[in-house]
Amino acid sequence: MKYPVLPFVARPDDPFEAAWVDALRRAMPAETIEPIGRLDEAALQACEVAIVANPRPEDLRRMPRLKWVQSVWAGVERMVADLRDTDLKIVRLVDPQLSDTMAEAVLAWTLYLHRDMPKYASQQRQRQWKPLEYVRPQDKTVSLLGLGALGAAAAARLRANAFRVQGWSRTLRTLPGVTCYAGDDGLARMLADTDILVCLLPLTEQTRGLLNDVTFSQLGRPACLINFGRGAIVDDEALRRVLEGGGLRHAVLDVFATEPLPMDSWHWTHPAVTVLPHVSAPTDQATASAIVAANVAAFRRIGAIPPHVDRIRGY
Ligand code: NAP
Protein backbone atom coordinates (compact mmCIF):
# COMPACT_ATOMS: atom_id res chain seq x y z
CA MET A 1 0.00 0.00 0.00
CA LYS A 2 1.27 3.46 -0.86
CA TYR A 3 1.01 5.91 2.00
CA PRO A 4 0.66 9.69 1.67
CA VAL A 5 3.99 11.54 1.61
CA LEU A 6 5.68 11.97 4.98
CA PRO A 7 6.92 15.56 5.08
CA PHE A 8 9.98 16.69 7.04
CA VAL A 9 9.32 20.18 8.38
CA ALA A 10 12.21 22.30 9.61
CA ARG A 11 13.00 26.02 9.41
CA PRO A 12 13.84 27.01 5.83
CA ASP A 13 17.46 27.76 6.85
CA ASP A 14 17.98 24.51 8.82
CA PRO A 15 21.47 23.30 7.81
CA PHE A 16 20.63 19.73 8.88
CA GLU A 17 17.52 19.26 6.73
CA ALA A 18 19.19 17.12 4.04
CA ALA A 19 20.98 14.91 6.59
CA TRP A 20 17.71 14.35 8.47
CA VAL A 21 15.83 13.45 5.31
CA ASP A 22 18.59 10.96 4.39
CA ALA A 23 18.60 9.35 7.85
CA LEU A 24 14.80 9.11 7.91
CA ARG A 25 14.68 7.59 4.41
CA ARG A 26 17.21 4.96 5.47
CA ALA A 27 15.09 4.07 8.52
CA MET A 28 11.80 4.01 6.55
CA PRO A 29 12.42 2.67 3.05
CA ALA A 30 8.69 2.02 2.51
CA GLU A 31 7.80 5.70 3.11
CA THR A 32 8.13 8.65 0.75
CA ILE A 33 9.89 11.33 2.79
CA GLU A 34 10.34 14.84 1.40
CA PRO A 35 11.19 18.25 2.81
CA ILE A 36 7.95 20.21 3.01
CA GLY A 37 9.26 22.75 0.51
CA ARG A 38 9.11 20.09 -2.23
CA LEU A 39 5.41 19.22 -1.74
CA ASP A 40 2.59 20.56 -3.91
CA GLU A 41 -0.88 21.47 -2.62
CA ALA A 42 -2.37 18.02 -3.33
CA ALA A 43 0.39 16.28 -1.37
CA LEU A 44 0.02 18.71 1.55
CA GLN A 45 -3.74 18.08 1.65
CA ALA A 46 -3.13 14.31 2.09
CA CYS A 47 -0.58 14.40 4.95
CA GLU A 48 -1.71 12.85 8.24
CA VAL A 49 1.62 12.80 10.03
CA ALA A 50 4.74 14.97 9.75
CA ILE A 51 8.23 14.73 11.16
CA VAL A 52 9.36 18.06 12.53
CA ALA A 53 12.46 19.85 13.78
CA ASN A 54 11.47 23.16 15.32
CA PRO A 55 8.94 23.88 12.52
CA ARG A 56 7.30 27.17 11.62
CA PRO A 57 3.65 26.88 12.75
CA GLU A 58 2.44 28.31 9.43
CA ASP A 59 4.00 25.33 7.62
CA LEU A 60 2.05 22.88 9.78
CA ARG A 61 -1.16 24.82 9.18
CA ARG A 62 -0.80 24.11 5.44
CA MET A 63 -1.71 20.45 6.14
CA PRO A 64 -5.41 20.39 7.15
CA ARG A 65 -5.60 16.60 7.68
CA LEU A 66 -2.56 16.44 9.93
CA LYS A 67 -3.29 14.32 13.05
CA TRP A 68 0.07 14.29 14.79
CA VAL A 69 3.62 15.46 14.45
CA GLN A 70 6.74 13.62 15.54
CA SER A 71 9.48 15.94 16.77
CA VAL A 72 13.10 14.89 16.44
CA TRP A 73 13.89 16.97 19.54
CA ALA A 74 13.04 16.13 23.15
CA GLY A 75 12.08 19.72 24.05
CA VAL A 76 8.95 20.95 22.26
CA GLU A 77 7.87 23.99 24.32
CA ARG A 78 8.01 26.37 21.36
CA MET A 79 5.68 24.15 19.29
CA VAL A 80 3.32 23.72 22.25
CA ALA A 81 3.05 27.52 22.52
CA ASP A 82 2.78 28.10 18.75
CA LEU A 83 0.02 25.49 18.30
CA ARG A 84 -2.00 26.33 21.41
CA ASP A 85 -5.14 26.92 19.32
CA THR A 86 -5.06 23.51 17.58
CA ASP A 87 -5.61 19.96 18.80
CA LEU A 88 -2.67 18.61 16.85
CA LYS A 89 -0.92 15.85 18.83
CA ILE A 90 2.74 16.63 19.47
CA VAL A 91 5.00 13.61 20.00
CA ARG A 92 8.44 14.48 21.31
CA LEU A 93 11.55 12.35 20.91
CA VAL A 94 12.11 9.81 23.67
CA ASP A 95 15.31 7.97 22.78
CA PRO A 96 17.37 5.83 25.18
CA GLN A 97 20.49 7.02 23.31
CA LEU A 98 19.57 10.63 24.09
CA SER A 99 19.06 9.76 27.77
CA ASP A 100 22.42 8.03 27.79
CA THR A 101 24.18 11.01 26.19
CA MET A 102 22.53 13.35 28.69
CA ALA A 103 23.48 11.09 31.60
CA GLU A 104 27.09 11.22 30.39
CA ALA A 105 26.96 15.03 30.21
CA VAL A 106 25.46 15.27 33.70
CA LEU A 107 28.21 13.01 35.05
CA ALA A 108 30.97 14.89 33.17
CA TRP A 109 29.97 18.32 34.44
CA THR A 110 29.16 17.02 37.92
CA LEU A 111 32.72 15.66 38.10
CA TYR A 112 34.04 18.99 36.79
CA LEU A 113 32.40 20.73 39.72
CA HIS A 114 33.02 17.93 42.22
CA ARG A 115 36.78 17.94 41.49
CA ASP A 116 36.93 21.78 41.67
CA MET A 117 38.14 22.22 38.10
CA PRO A 118 36.90 25.84 37.75
CA LYS A 119 38.83 26.74 40.92
CA TYR A 120 42.04 24.96 39.84
CA ALA A 121 41.85 26.63 36.40
CA SER A 122 41.59 30.00 38.09
CA GLN A 123 44.45 29.19 40.50
CA GLN A 124 46.63 28.17 37.55
CA ARG A 125 46.03 31.52 35.86
CA GLN A 126 47.34 33.12 39.06
CA ARG A 127 50.30 30.66 39.37
CA GLN A 128 48.85 29.56 42.68
CA TRP A 129 49.85 26.10 44.06
CA LYS A 130 47.05 25.40 46.50
CA PRO A 131 45.47 21.97 47.11
CA LEU A 132 41.80 22.19 48.03
CA GLU A 133 40.07 19.85 50.44
CA TYR A 134 38.87 16.60 48.82
CA VAL A 135 35.33 15.49 49.61
CA ARG A 136 34.24 12.00 48.56
CA PRO A 137 31.25 11.64 46.19
CA GLN A 138 29.55 9.63 48.97
CA ASP A 139 29.55 12.87 50.93
CA LYS A 140 28.20 15.07 48.11
CA THR A 141 24.55 15.46 47.29
CA VAL A 142 23.48 15.96 43.70
CA SER A 143 19.86 17.11 43.36
CA LEU A 144 18.01 16.66 40.10
CA LEU A 145 15.14 18.89 39.05
CA GLY A 146 13.09 16.58 36.81
CA LEU A 147 13.09 12.80 36.97
CA GLY A 148 11.74 12.01 33.51
CA ALA A 149 13.48 10.15 30.68
CA LEU A 150 16.63 12.26 31.10
CA GLY A 151 16.57 12.85 34.86
CA ALA A 152 16.09 9.16 35.70
CA ALA A 153 19.03 8.14 33.45
CA ALA A 154 21.22 10.86 35.00
CA ALA A 155 20.26 9.72 38.51
CA ALA A 156 21.34 6.14 37.75
CA ARG A 157 24.67 7.31 36.30
CA LEU A 158 25.38 9.51 39.33
CA ARG A 159 24.47 6.68 41.71
CA ALA A 160 26.87 4.36 39.84
CA ASN A 161 29.58 6.96 40.54
CA ALA A 162 28.85 6.94 44.28
CA PHE A 163 27.15 10.35 44.60
CA ARG A 164 24.25 10.82 46.97
CA VAL A 165 21.33 11.54 44.65
CA GLN A 166 17.96 13.14 45.19
CA GLY A 167 15.37 14.29 42.71
CA TRP A 168 12.24 16.37 42.38
CA SER A 169 9.31 15.92 40.01
CA ARG A 170 5.69 17.02 39.66
CA THR A 171 4.36 13.65 40.79
CA LEU A 172 6.30 11.70 43.41
CA ARG A 173 8.60 9.14 41.77
CA THR A 174 10.31 6.02 43.11
CA LEU A 175 13.83 5.40 41.82
CA PRO A 176 16.37 2.98 43.31
CA GLY A 177 18.80 4.71 45.65
CA VAL A 178 17.33 8.16 44.96
CA THR A 179 15.60 10.27 47.60
CA CYS A 180 12.54 11.58 45.78
CA TYR A 181 10.52 14.73 46.42
CA ALA A 182 7.51 16.49 44.87
CA GLY A 183 5.64 19.74 45.50
CA ASP A 184 6.84 23.11 46.79
CA ASP A 185 7.68 21.73 50.25
CA GLY A 186 9.61 18.87 48.68
CA LEU A 187 11.61 21.32 46.57
CA ALA A 188 12.51 23.41 49.62
CA ARG A 189 13.59 20.29 51.54
CA MET A 190 15.70 19.07 48.64
CA LEU A 191 17.38 22.45 48.11
CA ALA A 192 18.23 22.65 51.82
CA ASP A 193 20.54 19.64 51.37
CA THR A 194 22.19 20.18 47.97
CA ASP A 195 25.78 20.50 46.75
CA ILE A 196 25.15 20.32 43.00
CA LEU A 197 21.76 21.18 41.52
CA VAL A 198 21.04 19.79 38.04
CA CYS A 199 18.07 21.10 36.05
CA LEU A 200 16.49 18.65 33.60
CA LEU A 201 12.99 20.11 33.57
CA PRO A 202 10.90 20.99 30.53
CA LEU A 203 9.94 24.65 30.09
CA THR A 204 6.26 25.10 30.99
CA GLU A 205 4.17 27.86 32.57
CA GLN A 206 4.97 26.24 35.95
CA THR A 207 8.72 25.89 35.49
CA ARG A 208 9.43 29.27 33.85
CA GLY A 209 11.51 31.28 36.35
CA LEU A 210 11.41 28.42 38.89
CA LEU A 211 15.01 29.10 39.88
CA ASN A 212 14.68 32.60 41.29
CA ASP A 213 15.61 34.64 44.37
CA VAL A 214 13.24 32.60 46.56
CA THR A 215 14.35 29.12 45.47
CA PHE A 216 18.05 30.09 45.41
CA SER A 217 17.64 31.34 48.99
CA GLN A 218 16.42 27.85 49.97
CA LEU A 219 19.85 26.34 49.23
CA GLY A 220 21.16 25.25 52.60
CA ARG A 221 24.85 25.83 51.76
CA PRO A 222 26.89 27.25 48.85
CA ALA A 223 26.14 24.97 45.91
CA CYS A 224 26.72 24.70 42.15
CA LEU A 225 24.17 24.70 39.34
CA ILE A 226 24.07 22.76 36.07
CA ASN A 227 21.26 23.84 33.73
CA PHE A 228 20.69 21.38 30.88
CA GLY A 229 16.88 21.88 30.75
CA ARG A 230 15.86 25.26 29.29
CA GLY A 231 17.29 28.74 29.86
CA ALA A 232 14.06 30.44 30.88
CA ILE A 233 13.68 28.11 33.88
CA VAL A 234 16.36 30.28 35.52
CA ASP A 235 15.72 33.92 36.38
CA ASP A 236 18.98 35.32 34.99
CA GLU A 237 19.22 38.36 37.22
CA ALA A 238 18.53 36.24 40.32
CA LEU A 239 21.29 33.91 39.10
CA ARG A 240 23.74 36.78 38.84
CA ARG A 241 22.80 37.96 42.34
CA VAL A 242 23.21 34.53 43.94
CA LEU A 243 26.57 33.97 42.17
CA GLU A 244 27.82 37.34 43.36
CA GLY A 245 26.46 36.83 46.86
CA GLY A 246 28.22 33.45 47.17
CA GLY A 247 25.03 31.37 47.50
CA LEU A 248 26.07 29.65 44.28
CA ARG A 249 29.74 28.90 43.70
CA HIS A 250 29.57 28.09 39.98
CA ALA A 251 27.02 27.60 37.21
CA VAL A 252 27.41 25.39 34.13
CA LEU A 253 24.87 26.63 31.61
CA ASP A 254 24.08 24.82 28.36
CA VAL A 255 20.76 26.55 27.66
CA PHE A 256 19.79 30.22 27.67
CA ALA A 257 16.64 32.30 27.37
CA THR A 258 18.02 33.57 24.03
CA GLU A 259 20.13 31.27 21.87
CA PRO A 260 22.72 31.74 20.53
CA LEU A 261 23.73 33.62 23.69
CA PRO A 262 23.90 37.34 22.72
CA MET A 263 27.42 38.80 22.44
CA ASP A 264 26.76 41.36 25.19
CA SER A 265 25.47 38.82 27.72
CA TRP A 266 27.12 38.94 31.15
CA HIS A 267 27.40 35.14 31.24
CA TRP A 268 30.29 35.03 28.72
CA THR A 269 32.81 36.67 31.02
CA HIS A 270 31.52 35.89 34.51
CA PRO A 271 34.27 33.98 36.36
CA ALA A 272 31.74 31.69 38.04
CA VAL A 273 29.93 30.70 34.83
CA THR A 274 30.78 28.03 32.27
CA VAL A 275 28.96 28.63 28.98
CA LEU A 276 28.15 25.69 26.69
CA PRO A 277 26.45 26.16 23.27
CA HIS A 278 23.44 23.82 23.85
CA VAL A 279 25.48 20.66 23.39
CA SER A 280 24.78 18.53 26.44
CA ALA A 281 22.65 15.97 24.57
CA PRO A 282 22.53 16.31 20.80
CA THR A 283 20.03 14.04 19.02
CA ASP A 284 21.62 11.06 17.27
CA GLN A 285 20.07 11.03 13.79
CA ALA A 286 20.32 7.25 13.31
CA THR A 287 18.82 6.17 16.65
CA ALA A 288 16.21 8.93 16.54
CA SER A 289 15.20 7.93 13.00
CA ALA A 290 14.75 4.31 14.12
CA ILE A 291 12.43 5.46 16.92
CA VAL A 292 10.48 7.72 14.57
CA ALA A 293 10.21 4.79 12.11
CA ALA A 294 8.70 2.52 14.79
CA ASN A 295 6.18 5.21 15.74
CA VAL A 296 5.18 5.85 12.12
CA ALA A 297 4.91 2.09 11.42
CA ALA A 298 2.51 1.60 14.37
CA PHE A 299 0.39 4.47 13.08
CA ARG A 300 0.29 3.09 9.54
CA ARG A 301 -0.52 -0.42 10.84
CA ILE A 302 -3.18 0.23 13.48
CA GLY A 303 -3.64 4.00 13.58
CA ALA A 304 -1.84 4.26 16.95
CA ILE A 305 -0.60 7.73 17.87
CA PRO A 306 2.35 7.51 20.31
CA PRO A 307 2.16 9.13 23.78
CA HIS A 308 1.99 12.88 23.16
CA VAL A 309 2.33 16.16 25.02
CA ASP A 310 -0.43 16.82 27.54
CA ARG A 311 -1.51 20.36 26.59
CA ILE A 312 -2.70 21.15 30.14
CA ARG A 313 0.53 19.98 31.83
CA GLY A 314 2.54 21.58 29.03
CA TYR A 315 4.98 18.67 28.54
P1 NAP B 1 10.19 14.16 30.57
O1 NAP B 1 10.45 12.71 30.41
O2 NAP B 1 8.87 14.73 30.13
O3 NAP B 1 10.43 14.52 32.11
C1 NAP B 1 10.16 15.78 32.65
C2 NAP B 1 10.35 15.72 34.15
O4 NAP B 1 10.14 17.03 34.68
C3 NAP B 1 9.35 14.78 34.84
O5 NAP B 1 9.96 14.13 35.93
C4 NAP B 1 8.28 15.76 35.32
O6 NAP B 1 7.53 15.33 36.44
C5 NAP B 1 9.13 16.95 35.69
N1 NAP B 1 8.33 18.17 35.74
C6 NAP B 1 7.65 18.77 34.74
N2 NAP B 1 7.01 19.86 35.20
C7 NAP B 1 7.28 19.93 36.53
C8 NAP B 1 6.88 20.81 37.56
N3 NAP B 1 6.07 21.86 37.32
N4 NAP B 1 7.36 20.59 38.81
C9 NAP B 1 8.17 19.53 39.07
N5 NAP B 1 8.57 18.65 38.13
C10 NAP B 1 8.13 18.85 36.88
O7 NAP B 1 11.31 15.03 29.79
P2 NAP B 1 12.82 14.60 29.46
O8 NAP B 1 12.87 13.75 28.25
O9 NAP B 1 13.47 14.09 30.70
O10 NAP B 1 13.43 16.03 29.03
C11 NAP B 1 13.45 17.13 29.93
C12 NAP B 1 13.88 18.40 29.21
O11 NAP B 1 15.27 18.36 28.90
C13 NAP B 1 13.24 18.61 27.84
O12 NAP B 1 11.94 19.15 27.97
C14 NAP B 1 14.19 19.60 27.19
O13 NAP B 1 13.77 20.92 27.47
C15 NAP B 1 15.51 19.34 27.89
N6 NAP B 1 16.55 18.82 26.96
C16 NAP B 1 17.71 19.50 26.83
C17 NAP B 1 18.70 19.03 25.97
C18 NAP B 1 20.01 19.75 25.83
O14 NAP B 1 20.79 19.41 24.94
N7 NAP B 1 20.31 20.71 26.67
C19 NAP B 1 18.48 17.86 25.23
C20 NAP B 1 17.28 17.19 25.39
C21 NAP B 1 16.31 17.67 26.24
P3 NAP B 1 6.65 13.97 36.40
O15 NAP B 1 7.68 12.87 36.50
O16 NAP B 1 5.77 14.05 37.58
O17 NAP B 1 5.94 13.98 35.07
Side-chain angles (χ1 to χ4, degrees), residues 92 147-150 168 170-171 173 228 230 254 280-281 315:
R92 58 188 206 91
L147 289 173
L150 304 183
W168 181 72
R170 197 178 50 85
T171 55
R173 297 261 160 177
F228 287 167
R230 282 292 180 261
D254 184 47
S280 55
Y315 68 97

Side-chain angles (χ1 to χ4, degrees), residues 223-263:
C224 295
L225 171 69
I226 297 175
N227 187 10
F228 287 167
R230 282 292 180 261
I233 295 168
V234 177
D235 172 338
D236 261 341
E237 286 313 310
L239 174 65
R240 175 137 70 155
R241 282 190 287 276
V242 69
L243 284 168
E244 277 160 21
L248 267 188
R249 294 192 293 125
H250 198 90
V252 175
L253 307 174
D254 184 47
V255 285
F256 298 89
T258 306
E259 295 181 11
L261 184 62
M263 294 295 277

Side-chain angles (χ1 to χ4, degrees), residues 98-109:
L98 183 77
S99 302
D100 210 48
T101 307
M102 182 58 95
E104 178 190 73
V106 169
L107 178 63
W109 294 99

Side-chain angles (χ1 to χ4, degrees), residues 15-227:
F16 301 108
E17 181 184 82
W20 268 116
V21 171
D22 280 354
L24 292 161
R25 283 179 180 156
R26 272 195 297 280
M28 288 176 272
E31 295 279 346
T32 310
I33 301 170
E34 293 291 348
I36 189 166
R38 299 240 186 96
L39 300 190
D40 61 19
E41 268 317 299
L44 290 169
Q45 292 290 323
C47 294
E48 290 185 320
V49 49
I51 303 170
V52 303
N54 199 12
R56 295 187 305 186
E58 60 268 32
D59 283 337
L60 299 179
R61 292 183 207 277
R62 293 168 63 205
M63 295 177 275
R65 295 185 62 219
L66 205 55
K67 291 191 173 129
W68 63 287
V69 293
Q70 166 76 62
S71 173
V72 294
W73 307 130
V76 290
E77 69 285 342
R78 172 140 31 141
M79 225 190 313
V80 171
D82 285 346
L83 299 171
R84 199 171 282 135
D85 60 325
T86 74
D87 63 357
L88 191 61
K89 312 278 184 289
I90 299 172
V91 178
R92 58 188 206 91
L93 180 69
V94 181
D95 180 353
Q97 177 59 57
L98 183 77
S99 302
D100 210 48
T101 307
M102 182 58 95
E104 178 190 73
V106 169
L107 178 63
W109 294 99
T110 296
L111 291 172
Y112 168 82
L113 297 167
H114 165 60
R115 295 307 300 258
D116 293 311
M117 292 196 212
K119 188 84 186 156
Y120 284 120
S122 144
Q123 289 186 183
Q124 180 178 347
R125 285 192 293 275
Q126 296 162 53
R127 297 165 188 256
Q128 214 177 11
W129 183 274
K130 186 176 162 203
L132 302 168
E133 185 198 359
Y134 174 71
V135 178
R136 301 180 315 157
Q138 290 89 333
D139 300 321
K140 283 232 174 119
T141 304
V142 183
S143 298
L144 296 159
L145 297 167
L147 289 173
L150 304 183
R157 191 70 70 93
L158 292 165
R159 285 289 305 138
N161 281 268
F163 288 99
R164 286 170 41 199
V165 181
Q166 32 184 25
W168 181 72
S169 49
R170 197 178 50 85
T171 55
L172 191 61
R173 297 261 160 177
T174 311
L175 290 171
V178 179
T179 309
C180 293
Y181 299 92
D184 291 348
D185 285 358
L187 178 60
R189 276 187 289 139
M190 183 173 88
L191 292 174
D193 177 19
T194 292
D195 294 299
I196 298 173
L197 181 64
V198 182
C199 177
L200 286 171
L201 288 168
L203 179 62
T204 67
E205 287 311 308
Q206 285 70 42
T207 63
R208 185 178 293 277
L210 177 86
L211 293 177
N212 54 35
D213 288 315
V214 173
T215 42
F216 284 135
S217 75
Q218 293 169 338
L219 289 165
R221 51 186 176 272
C224 295
L225 171 69
I226 297 175
N227 187 10

Side-chain angles (χ1 to χ4, degrees), residues 11 14 181 260 298:
R11 304 254 149 187
D14 188 329
Y181 299 92

